[in-house]
Structure formats: C-alpha cells, structure tokens
Amino acid sequence: KQEVTQIPAALSVPEGENLVLNCSFTDSAIYNLQWFRQDPGKGLTSLLLIQSSQREQTSGRLNASLDKSSGRSTLYIAASQPGDSATYLCAAQGGSEKLVFGKGMKLTVNP
Amino acid sequence: NAGVTQTPKFQVLKTGQSMTLQCAQDMNHEYMSWYRQDPGMGLRLIHYSVGAGITDQGEVPNGYNVSRSTTEDFPLRLLSAAPSQTSVYFCASSSPRGKAEAFFGQGTRLTVV
C-alpha cells in the first residue's frame, strides 16, 4: 500500500528565502507525482506534474524533482513571497490510477 | 471553461438525513473521484470512476454511494448521514485514465449534527 509523507507539517520563513519542500513515498512503481497548492477554504490547484520517466519540471519560481529509486520528490520555491503562503500537498499516482496524498505542509512566508 | 463544479458549497444535515453532493466537469475527462479532507488525516479517496458506467471503491467508501451515468457527472450520495461524515468533500477529474494532471472542485463543506 502506497504511503506518502511530507515533513515538516509546517514551515515559517522570512520573505526572500529559497525553500525546499520534501515528499517521500513508499512504492516506487508510480505513474506520476503531482504537487498541489491549497489556500484556506479553497480547493486544490495543480502546480507541477512529473511523469515517472521525467526527473524534474519547472514553472516560474517552482521546480519539482523526482527520484523514484529513493522514493523522494522535492519542490523548490525560489525567492519566496508572502503570496506563496498556503498548504502544499504532494500526491503519488500508481497503477491503480488512484492519487495517494501526503498530509500537506503549511507554509507561511512573513513579510 | 468551468473545470470541475461542485454544489452545494456548504450544507448542514441532521443525523439520518440523506443528500447528494453534485460534481460536474466540462473537460471530457474519463477519470473522476471523490475525496474527503479531515484535519490530521489528509485527503482520503472515497469512490472513483474510470468512465461512464464504471465505479469502484476507494479507501473510505462506507456510508457513501456513487454512480456515473454520463462522462460529465459524478454525484456522491450520503445514504444516512452520521456526525463522522462531517468533512470537506472534494471532487476531482483527470484524463487520460488518471495518468495526467488532476483538477479539483472548490469543495463542499458538510456538517452533520
């Protein structure tokens, strides 16, 4: 059974820092790994999707990497801004086509 | 382009009442799913569908029913609401066959008293 872990559960940083968010998964037989952002009281917004054949994806200040052999994915946020404050979730999709989510990491970027 | 639309946004039920949470997508996605999100538990899969007429159970299916008569709609039915079903419910869709970016609705916040 796939298990996805995100540590730490919360992070508070000053504006301008480069951030590393971690995601680990137990079953390396995945189709893809997806990162989401969730604002309070809102739904999930897809940030980046990395297919199993890829090593990384980039969108603006965001870069996500995937290492299937070690069961890890990392989301890098460059030059963090207060508007980046949100909960970030990662989800692994395997052969059953189901998304298995981590519990998320609440990020606060202080001005 | 509306994406994934969920209704209602908020609902309060009494224990034992039944209701249907609506989910519709306009992206012609094959794969649709329902999750519930609870503090400390994360998102857990309730039911999912890989196409019209095909549904299957997820991690926490008890107390919920689904059907998929069209590609666009995937309603979630609570048969007899219980306080343990107080949660935020999210519907999601993706294509092809789930191996692509998932799109989520804005959620339904359900309280059972």
Side-chain angles (χ1 to χ4, degrees):
Chain A
K1 178 185 175 183
Q2 178 75 272
E3 293 182 1
V4 178
T5 303
Q6 293 183 251
I7 296 173
L11 184 65
S12 181
V13 298
E15 181 177 6
E17 283 203 0
N18 297 324
L19 304 176
V20 176
L21 283 62
N22 295 305
C23 173
S24 61
F25 48 94
T26 55
D27 186 352
S28 62
I30 61 171
Y31 281 123
N32 62 57
L33 191 293
Q34 195 165 355
W35 283 92
F36 295 88
R37 167 182 173 142
Q38 186 176 29
D39 293 293
K42 302 293 185 182
L44 280 69
T45 300
S46 178
L47 296 173
L48 289 166
L49 171 74
I50 312 176
Q51 300 287 357
S52 60
S53 58
Q54 299 173 320
R55 293 300 299 270
E56 65 178 63
Q57 281 286 335
T58 299
S59 176
R61 294 185 293 110
L62 304 179
N63 175 277
S65 65
L66 175 64
D67 184 343
K68 284 178 54 178
S69 62
S70 66
R72 292 176 185 270
S73 177
T74 303
L75 180 67
Y76 298 89
I77 303 177
S80 59
Q81 303 170 357
D84 295 329
S85 297
T87 296
Y88 291 81
L89 300 99
C90 65
Q93 186 167 50
S96 64
E97 303 184 356
K98 304 170 190 176
L99 279 172
V100 179
F101 283 85
K103 294 182 180 179
M105 194 208 76
K106 184 177 181 179
L107 173 66
T108 303
V109 181
N110 301 299
Chain B
N1 192 343
V4 179
T5 303
Q6 289 184 238
T7 56
K9 289 185 170 53
F10 301 93
Q11 184 70 47
V12 178
L13 286 180
K14 293 183 179 179
T15 298
Q17 286 185 318
S18 63
M19 79 161 294
T20 300
L21 279 64
Q22 301 291 344
C23 176
Q25 53 93 5
D26 60 0
M27 296 171 283
N28 202 31
H29 285 169
E30 300 164 326
Y31 187 84
M32 295 186 73
S33 52
W34 277 101
Y35 294 84
R36 59 178 290 174
Q37 186 176 36
D38 302 289
M41 302 295 292
L43 281 134
R44 293 179 292 171
L45 181 65
I46 305 171
H47 285 285
Y48 67 100
S49 169
V50 299
I54 306 169
T55 63
D56 206 347
Q57 296 181 351
E59 182 183 357
V60 288
N62 292 340
Y64 307 96
N65 273 357
V66 293
S67 61
R68 184 95 178 269
S69 57
T70 67
T71 299
E72 295 77 19
D73 299 300
F74 190 43
L76 178 72
R77 298 182 186 85
L78 279 68
L79 307 174
S80 178
S84 62
Q85 294 179 304
T86 293
S87 186
V88 181
Y89 291 84
F90 289 101
C91 178
S93 74
S94 64
S95 183
R97 292 297 299 267
K99 300 178 182 62
E101 182 181 11
F103 293 84
F104 280 75
Q106 289 299 295
T108 296
R109 186 174 295 274
L110 175 68
T111 302
V112 182
V113 298

